[in-house]
Amino acid sequence: MAIDVTPGTVVLYTDIVCAWSTLSLRRFYAEREKAGLTEAVRVDHRLFLLEDLNRFPIPKNYLDAETPVVGALDPELGWKPWQGDPSTWPITSLLANEAVHAAKSQSWAAAEELDMALRLAFFRDSRPISLLHEILDVAAGCPAVDTDDLVEALDEGRARGPMLADYRAHHGQVQGSPHWFLADGTDVHNPGIQLHWVGEAGAGFPVVDADDPTAMANLVARAASDR
């Protein structure tokens, strides 16, 4: 089944607790703003649920090794290893991802804003974003998000069914998080980044072999040309 990309958007399959997709989004938004295309090209967030694919909870040891490497490519975000008590580590991202998809029904901008705010809450502020009240507290700080509507959507489960249906229909077409799909039918996984792991994933550490700073600007330009 083909992945449908709405004109004026670029589809991104990702998990909110993926460090590489957080870096990718930060770069996309920066290049989009630089090009004056913030209102013209929006991100259509789709789920690539790592905990389901991997069949284990969000792996703290994996992210503890990965986050400093990704953080060195974007130190302004303020990445930190988990600062909270280990017992508060969020072992699932499903509800946080669902909240982003619920916000998408309000507007593209609401989904973008809530998604990045939750990523910052996790990677920078060590907040347990698996908890409903934490998600709603983060949402309350997002001007584009109607928090009352978000509460109703989560209580009623409006977003979960469609979100998971799309994930199950397309996860076999997704190489990993982040994977971008454009309206012209092209796609790219983790644009600009090439890496490998030293040692076993989760026990070793990632090494960035190449980082092309022009890759994201090219993706934004291609997305804009598809409108």
Side-chain angles (χ1 to χ4, degrees):
M1 183 186 300
I3 293 172
D4 182 45
V5 183
T6 302
T9 73
V10 56
V11 164
L12 175 62
Y13 278 91
T14 181
D15 193 312
I16 210 164
V17 294
C18 172
W20 296 107
S21 64
T22 302
L23 173 67
S24 197
L25 277 163
R26 294 254 303 167
R27 290 179 168 182
F28 180 87
Y29 294 148
E31 293 296 338
R32 184 181 66 177
E33 182 177 4
K34 189 186 301 182
L37 294 167
T38 297
E39 299 300 326
V41 180
R42 288 295 187 179
V43 176
D44 180 355
H45 285 277
R46 308 281 185 94
L47 179 63
F48 190 63
L49 189 59
L50 295 173
E51 65 199 56
D52 179 70
L53 288 158
N54 296 328
R55 300 300 188 193
F56 51 69
I58 299 169
K60 187 175 184 299
N61 60 336
Y62 195 105
L63 285 177
D64 282 347
E66 194 174 58
T67 299
V69 177
V70 183
L73 302 178
D74 181 19
E76 291 184 3
L77 183 142
W79 311 74
K80 295 185 183 73
W82 186 255
Q83 302 296 298
D85 188 287
S87 66
T88 65
W89 174 262
I91 64 169
T92 176
S93 63
L94 183 58
L95 186 58
N97 283 299
E98 181 183 354
V100 172
H101 284 249
K104 190 167 70 171
S105 68
Q106 299 178 20
S107 68
W108 302 117
E112 288 183 10
E113 187 176 16
L114 181 58
D115 172 83
M116 185 54 68
L118 287 166
R119 291 171 186 272
L120 293 175
F122 178 62
F123 285 110
R124 184 190 64 193
D125 302 330
S126 298
R127 297 177 65 173
I129 59 167
S130 59
L131 299 176
L132 177 60
H133 74 271
E134 288 284 350
I135 293 168
L136 295 177
D137 284 350
V138 171
C142 297
V145 177
D146 181 334
T147 308
D148 290 338
D149 182 77
L150 182 64
V151 169
E152 291 181 8
L154 292 175
D155 285 352
E156 296 170 7
R158 283 185 229 151
R160 181 166 296 203
M163 175 185 74
L164 287 175
D166 181 82
Y167 159 70
R168 300 202 188 284
H170 297 297
H171 70 78
Q173 298 162 261
V174 179
Q175 185 176 341
S177 176
H179 198 155
W180 299 81
F181 292 81
L182 282 73
D184 65 2
T186 62
D187 62 275
V188 58
H189 171 245
N190 208 6
I193 302 289
Q194 296 179 30
L195 63 94
H196 72 277
W197 274 83
V198 173
E200 183 180 350
F205 53 89
V207 174
V208 176
D209 300 308
D211 180 14
D212 179 5
T214 67
M216 193 55 72
N218 292 338
L219 188 148
V220 169
R222 285 165 50 203
S225 69
D226 293 335
R227 289 176 294 160

